[in-house]
Amino acid sequence: MPFYDYIYGTMDKSSDSLYEKSLRRKEESPYVVHLTHLTTPESIYHLRLGFASFASKPYTPSTWHMWLLWPVTLCSMMLTWIYCSTFVVESNRFHNIIQQTWAIPKYNIQYRLKSQKQSINNLIEEAILEAEEKGENHDDEINEQGEEMNMYGGVYMQKHPQLKVKLVDGSSLAVAVVLNSIPKRTTQVVLRGKLTKVACALAFALCQKRIQVSVLREDEYEKLDKLLGTKSEGKLVLSKSYTCKTWLVGDGLSEVEQRKASKGTLFIPFSQFPPKKLRTDCFYHTTPAMQIPLAFENVDSCENWLPRRVMSIWRIAGLVHALEGWEERECGYTTSNIEKVWEATLKHGFQPLKVPTHLKS
């Protein structure tokens, strides 16, 4: 109930009794947990517990009025440092499935520090074990994975082989979304960015579809060539040309490379974070995400830079996994069947986003 209703006596008379009943009610246990983390210090305001008006719009970099809140921001950073425990960001319901989003109190910059690696992995492990305690049929979506960090979540399965919780990193759905974002009749793409599990799976899938994959850097070409071998079907090439109009990009795309791209180039991210939009004469698609069905309840805020009622596939993947009742895990170097995951996601009402084709005037 709004604070001013309480002050001026205009609050509903049943508020107190309703609150007391809610406290006595047994806590609902989530069936699916999406594990994420804070991005920037100001991102705390973009959560439901922050500013509703700010969270209702896609996240944008710091504005002047956010600088006025730096004393509060600093206090929140201190609290997350002292408290240092995973907290529930929001709870959603889709049909009979309850999904909660849990946040790790760590920022992007901390994920780049080797000194923070063990601390972050400990927090992730604690969250997984907590989900395990809440029930046997949980799917834990990990948005906190990487080869260097924890072998794409595989390290937790090695440490706890008896886990009943099913870890899902969403890599197969990420590949499916990117593949279906590529314009039809495309015969060549540039693949540029850190060679993650998703990037390697993309390269393989594109080669199998007889689409030429051009790699700009020699070290990345050698790594992919060694990984794919004859499975590349001769479609993996090392190129110094920037004329290709479709670029699949991830972390590590440099400003120089972006500026060398041809006018009208479409940049499609395969990473969790979008590239900086430097070109006004090019098109930028969102990070892998989909429009959610109307039946998805209690969605009050935007997820990072995405529009309202659009969710990242890392948040959708575990939910689809639970809805389908799949027993398989998708973590470590394991990837689910891309076509099967894509068809199941569409079946449950999730829709692909429109790819930009017109420049803003």
Side-chain angles (χ1 to χ4, degrees):
M1 184 59 64
F3 182 62
Y4 292 108
D5 281 339
Y6 180 79
I7 293 176
Y8 295 109
T10 56
M11 63 182 249
D12 193 288
K13 293 180 180 180
S14 64
S15 295
D16 288 337
S17 59
L18 182 63
Y19 179 66
E20 289 169 3
K21 286 179 182 177
S22 69
L23 290 178
R24 289 194 299 267
R25 189 179 63 182
K26 185 179 178 182
E27 181 185 1
E28 289 184 318
S29 180
Y31 197 89
V32 179
V33 171
H34 171 61
L35 195 59
T36 186
H37 66 87
L38 301 170
T39 53
T40 63
E42 297 93 342
S43 65
I44 192 75
Y45 302 125
H46 206 255
L47 304 179
R48 179 177 293 179
L49 51 84
F51 295 141
S53 59
F54 186 55
S56 67
K57 301 173 184 177
Y59 176 76
T60 53
S62 299
T63 53
W64 65 268
H65 57 275
M66 280 297 164
W67 285 104
L68 300 177
L69 291 170
W70 253 103
V72 180
T73 306
L74 189 59
C75 288
S76 71
M77 292 175 66
M78 293 297 292
L79 282 172
T80 55
W81 179 70
I82 295 169
Y83 183 56
C84 203
S85 179
T86 304
F87 58 94
V88 178
V89 174
E90 65 177 280
S91 181
N92 310 108
R93 182 185 290 274
F94 185 51
H95 300 312
N96 62 332
I97 300 284
I98 296 174
Q99 180 191 50
Q100 283 187 353
T101 299
W102 297 359
I104 299 259
K106 297 287 184 179
Y107 301 97
N108 277 355
I109 191 170
Q110 291 172 292
Y111 275 73
R112 302 189 188 104
L113 302 175
K114 289 184 178 180
S115 59
Q116 291 290 313
K117 178 181 176 181
Q118 190 59 48
S119 173
I120 292 170
N121 274 326
N122 288 342
L123 286 169
I124 298 171
E125 184 179 356
E126 288 170 10
I128 292 172
L129 295 177
E130 183 181 346
E132 176 84 354
E133 290 175 7
K134 287 180 178 289
E136 296 183 1
N137 298 314
H138 289 70
D139 288 271
D140 213 359
E141 309 165 273
I142 46 177
N143 196 20
E144 309 291 324
Q145 33 73 30
E147 188 170 25
E148 299 86 0
M149 179 64 71
N150 48 45
M151 290 172 52
Y152 303 109
V155 68
Y156 308 119
M157 290 307 305
Q158 291 180 5
K159 194 172 180 180
H160 304 282
Q162 303 305 316
L163 274 178
K164 294 178 181 178
V165 69
K166 293 176 278 293
L167 303 183
V168 180
D169 65 15
S171 54
S172 57
L173 186 53
V175 173
V177 168
V178 173
L179 288 176
N180 285 277
S181 299
I182 297 173
K184 296 185 184 302
R185 295 184 291 278
T186 296
T187 58
Q188 179 187 13
V189 300
V190 169
L191 183 68
R192 173 68 198 101
K194 186 178 180 181
L195 293 181
T196 59
K197 178 181 176 180
V198 172
C200 294
L202 265 175
F204 173 73
L206 288 165
C207 289
Q208 293 296 302
K209 288 177 176 289
R210 311 297 296 171
I211 296 176
Q212 182 174 295
V213 179
S214 300
V215 184
L216 301 178
R217 297 192 179 184
E218 189 171 350
D219 58 329
E220 293 176 355
Y221 170 78
E222 290 175 354
K223 182 177 179 179
L224 282 173
D225 188 50
K226 183 178 179 180
L227 179 68
L228 300 180
T230 56
K231 294 178 181 178
S232 68
E233 306 285 347
K235 289 296 182 179
L236 181 69
V237 299
L238 177 64
S239 175
K240 296 297 181 182
S241 172
Y242 293 84
T243 57
C244 179
K245 293 288 188 177
T246 304
W247 286 40
L248 310 183
V249 298
D251 298 332
L253 174 68
S254 70
E255 292 188 8
V256 173
E257 289 167 329
Q258 201 175 148
R259 294 189 187 282
K260 285 183 178 179
S262 301
K263 180 181 179 181
T265 293
L266 171 63
F267 293 99
I268 305 175
F270 57 78
S271 55
Q272 295 176 3
F273 294 92
K276 188 176 180 180
K277 297 180 181 180
L278 300 176
R279 301 282 298 274
T280 56
D281 58 349
C282 292
F283 306 103
Y284 292 86
H285 197 29
T286 66
T287 50
M290 299 183 78
Q291 187 86 34
I292 62 175
L294 292 175
F296 207 105
E297 300 175 14
N298 207 26
V299 181
D300 302 322
S301 55
C302 294
E303 183 181 351
N304 297 319
W305 43 82
L306 298 172
R308 288 290 292 273
R309 300 195 67 80
V310 170
M311 283 186 179
S312 68
I313 59 84
W314 289 277
R315 193 171 170 184
I316 295 171
L319 186 61
V320 173
H321 196 279
L323 288 165
E324 289 293 308
W326 292 331
E327 292 298 321
E328 66 201 46
R329 294 182 174 90
E330 187 179 46
C331 60
Y333 296 100
T334 303
T335 304
S336 300
N337 182 285
I338 295 169
E339 197 60 37
K340 180 183 78 170
V341 171
W342 178 247
E343 292 298 330
T345 305
L346 294 178
K347 181 181 75 176
H348 290 291
F350 295 92
Q351 295 297 318
L353 304 178
K354 291 183 178 180
V355 179
T357 56
H358 294 88
L359 296 171
K360 292 182 179 180
S361 56

